[in-house]
Amino acid sequence: MTVSSPQGRTELPGTTEDAVRVLVVDDEDPLAELLSMALRYEGWEVRSAGDVAGAVRAARDFRPDALVLDVTLPGGGGPDGTGGPDGTGRADGVSALGRLRRELPDVPVLFLTARDAAADRIAGLTAGGDDHLAKPFGLEEVVARLRGLIRRSGAAPERAASLLAVGDLVLDEDSHEVSRAGRAVHLTATEFELLRFLMRNPRRVLSKAQILDRVWSYDFGGRANVVELYISYLRKKIDAGHPPMIHTRRGAGYLIKPAG
């Protein structure tokens, strides 16, 4: 279900009007869905398109703060907008960027490609792309690259972008400092990543599988009880002496929300 904002944008449940907006353009549906899911976990608003024409329409309506663009896309690359420059019906994403730049002249662009040749990287950067990532890639790396591009572009205030706050709990993504009610909380690296994931998704129930994928990597083969263990560690450090913020939804997962 979607909700229309007063400005006419379409917003996802749990996002705000000032959330970072990312447009994902890739004709591989499973990959586009996986990317979109990972970016939404960052608290960002995401739209996706599978071809150049759809991307141009989304760019006009959505006005994204960043663009993830596959180098090879179906349709829209030729002079008439119906086929690729090589006559195969596939559009070169580098050429497609020219059309998108008419709508998004200053938006940072991260190119995705199955090729890692220097010529492809140079072509993308020369065409106006800001970064380049070869498939296969880790979703964490996509998020990190986009976060850097967005900060440098000024789409989000640099200092504010590094701070997450839920109630009286504050986490600084840059310094890795955490405090509750003004008192420092010392966490291990894994505890920090788990808390960060929860705080990027306040009031949203996250399943054990989602937490395993995000915190312990997408190919983690361990047992789900490691999540229970680390949730217990966090509760001892975050909720001890305070009204609880970390909650269990039996059979569903865990969430964090302001106390009270």
Side-chain angles (χ1 to χ4, degrees):
M1 179 178 177
T2 56
V3 181
S4 295
S5 70
Q7 288 77 13
R9 289 211 316 268
T10 300
E11 296 189 22
L12 296 166
T15 63
T16 62
E17 289 186 24
D18 59 353
V20 170
R21 300 182 301 279
V22 181
L23 175 59
V24 175
V25 186
D26 197 305
D27 64 316
E28 297 180 41
D29 289 341
L31 177 58
E33 291 174 7
L34 191 60
L35 283 169
S36 297
M37 179 184 68
L39 299 180
R40 288 188 181 104
Y41 286 163
E42 299 301 308
W44 297 346
E45 191 176 350
V46 184
R47 287 264 193 99
S48 62
D51 56 30
V52 179
V56 172
R57 288 193 299 270
R60 290 171 181 162
D61 177 54
F62 187 49
R63 311 310 302 178
D65 299 306
L67 176 65
V68 180
L69 176 61
D70 191 4
V71 165
T72 307
L73 296 168
D80 60 356
T82 60
D86 59 359
T88 63
R90 296 194 60 84
D92 185 349
V94 173
S95 302
L97 181 57
R99 295 184 61 191
L100 291 167
R101 278 293 187 211
R102 297 171 199 164
E103 303 294 333
L104 309 168
D106 301 315
V107 170
V109 176
L110 174 63
F111 269 117
L112 302 180
T113 178
R115 300 163 296 185
D116 197 22
D120 294 316
R121 295 197 301 271
I122 293 170
L125 296 173
T126 301
D130 300 278
D131 203 351
H132 176 284
L133 197 56
K135 302 175 186 178
F137 48 75
L139 294 177
E140 280 284 357
E141 186 173 6
V142 176
V143 170
R145 298 278 189 102
L146 280 174
R147 191 182 296 124
L149 291 176
I150 289 166
R151 287 182 183 174
R152 290 194 293 273
S153 73
E158 184 173 352
R159 184 59 185 165
S162 72
L163 293 178
L164 299 175
V166 177
D168 60 357
L169 181 65
V170 179
L171 180 149
D172 191 319
E173 295 186 286
D174 289 340
S175 68
H176 280 219
E177 294 175 336
V178 177
S179 65
R180 181 161 187 194
R183 177 171 294 182
V185 179
H186 302 287
L187 303 178
T188 67
T190 302
E191 291 167 351
F192 181 87
E193 289 302 323
L194 175 55
L195 181 62
R196 174 158 61 177
F197 185 37
L198 292 171
M199 292 183 69
R200 285 176 177 168
N201 298 275
R203 300 181 183 276
R204 180 179 297 173
V205 177
L206 301 171
S207 70
K208 289 181 181 179
Q210 289 172 328
I211 293 172
L212 279 172
D213 284 347
R214 187 63 175 81
V215 177
W216 279 270
S217 83
Y218 287 87
D219 59 354
F220 180 77
R223 295 178 177 271
N225 60 12
V226 72
V227 177
E228 298 175 12
L229 181 62
Y230 274 85
I231 287 288
S232 71
Y233 292 162
L234 275 186
R235 281 182 168 139
K236 291 176 182 177
K237 295 184 177 183
I238 299 298
D239 287 343
H242 300 279
M245 296 182 67
I246 301 172
H247 302 271
T248 301
R249 293 291 182 261
R250 190 172 300 276
Y254 304 93
L255 77 154
I256 193 168
K257 63 180 181 178

